[in-house]
Amino acid sequence: MNPLRLLVSDVDGTLVDKAKKLTPATADAVQRLTAAGCGFTIISARPRSGMIPIADTLGLDGPMGAFNGGLVFHRDGRVDEHHVIDPQAARGVFAIVDGAAVDRWVFADDRWYASTDQGVHVEHERIASNQAPVVQDAFDDLLDHADKITFVSDDPALLAGLLEQCRTAFGDRATIAQSQTYYLDVTALQANKGDGIVALAAAMGVDLAETAAIGDQANDLPMLALTGYAVAMGNAPAHVQAAADAVTAGNDADGVAHAIDTLILPRIGAPA
């Protein structure tokens, strides 16, 4: 059994509850973890603006991964790595969804551009990204330097079909995955949580074998596969739970705190 020196956590559906709030119990558990000598950081499909409030609350000064690791940055503004979507892939996926009943979001230049500012997912993203959308009909001027493209729909079959089409056409030029059942995300090829956790562990001087990861969705699978100890949330789909070494409670039941106290701290020989 390898000792654990770093825990990397997903954010939405994992570290925060369904209201996208970081609970005091989870924040306290992270402090117990770091006090025991284990590092902690976050990686998320969120933009940098949506991660800074969490970093401020938890006092995270090490590297973090926004856009699934496409942007590796520090709270003080330093940037270690920045990968944008291949412009041909960005324009190509927009062509594939042309006419489809999906909302369109583009993240570029630290801003969130959207086809509408209405709907429940927009309201959730206002919280997650910690900013309001810039509404516009056309996105062509952003597609040569986009950090993330998200297509939004509550029609699972529609998004599944678009996922397959986009992956078939551009899966070798971009990372294309669902971060939630209603979000289809396109990021740079290097912007996936597998490459992301490799970059974060290296930046913090920790071997992957000594790194734990915790997440809840399909886009977390690459980091769960590479880490030394993989934990899935209780609210994760069955196939994500099956890919993990252990399953904790759900994100509305302080699942990260439960994992820290019952799974991570015991493995480093520290009291909960």
Side-chain angles (χ1 to χ4, degrees), residues 111-131:
R111 298 301 304 273
W112 167 32
Y113 301 87
S115 57
T116 179
D117 61 359
Q118 301 299 308
V120 64
H121 299 306
V122 169
E123 294 310 308
H124 290 165
E125 187 61 26
R126 286 178 187 268
I127 300 171
S129 65
N130 194 35
Q131 60 175 289

Side-chain angles (χ1 to χ4, degrees), residues 69-254:
L71 179 67
V72 178
F73 71 99
H74 298 251
R75 188 158 58 119
D76 63 9
R78 285 177 293 146
V79 172
D80 293 343
E81 296 184 23
H82 189 190
H83 306 282
V84 298
I85 306 170
D86 175 275
Q88 182 176 342
R91 297 182 190 282
V93 296
F94 256 83
I96 287 172
V97 305
D98 186 40
V102 297
D103 292 338
R104 293 151 174 81
W105 298 349
V106 176
F107 296 83
D109 305 320
D110 286 325
R111 298 301 304 273
W112 167 32
Y113 301 87
S115 57
T116 179
D117 61 359
Q118 301 299 308
V120 64
H121 299 306
V122 169
E123 294 310 308
H124 290 165
E125 187 61 26
R126 286 178 187 268
I127 300 171
S129 65
N130 194 35
Q131 60 175 289
V134 177
V135 178
Q136 56 190 58
D137 295 325
F139 302 90
D140 289 350
D141 60 327
L142 303 171
L143 299 184
D144 62 348
H145 62 287
D147 288 297
K148 184 175 73 167
I149 296 167
T150 300
F151 301 119
V152 185
S153 172
D154 285 314
D155 183 338
L158 173 62
L159 274 193
L162 292 174
L163 171 65
E164 183 62 29
Q165 291 179 63
C166 290
R167 275 185 173 168
T168 298
F170 297 104
D172 60 343
R173 304 187 71 140
T175 297
I176 304 169
Q178 289 189 253
S179 59
Q180 300 290 341
T181 56
Y182 36 83
Y183 292 157
L184 172 55
D185 290 341
V186 181
T187 52
L189 190 62
Q190 305 93 327
N192 66 83
K193 290 188 180 178
D195 287 346
I197 199 170
V198 169
L200 292 173
M204 298 182 79
V206 179
D207 290 339
L208 280 175
E210 299 173 317
T211 301
I214 183 166
D216 73 305
Q217 286 294 332
N219 67 330
D220 296 313
L221 288 172
M223 74 172 180
L224 296 180
L226 290 175
T227 194
Y229 187 61
V231 180
M233 297 296 292
N235 51 288
H239 72 285
V240 175
Q241 293 189 14
D245 298 304
V247 178
T248 186
N251 67 317
D252 260 6
D254 293 315

Side-chain angles (χ1 to χ4, degrees), residues 15 43 46 82 153 169 202 213:
L15 188 67
I43 187 169
R46 288 186 179 197
H82 189 190
S153 172

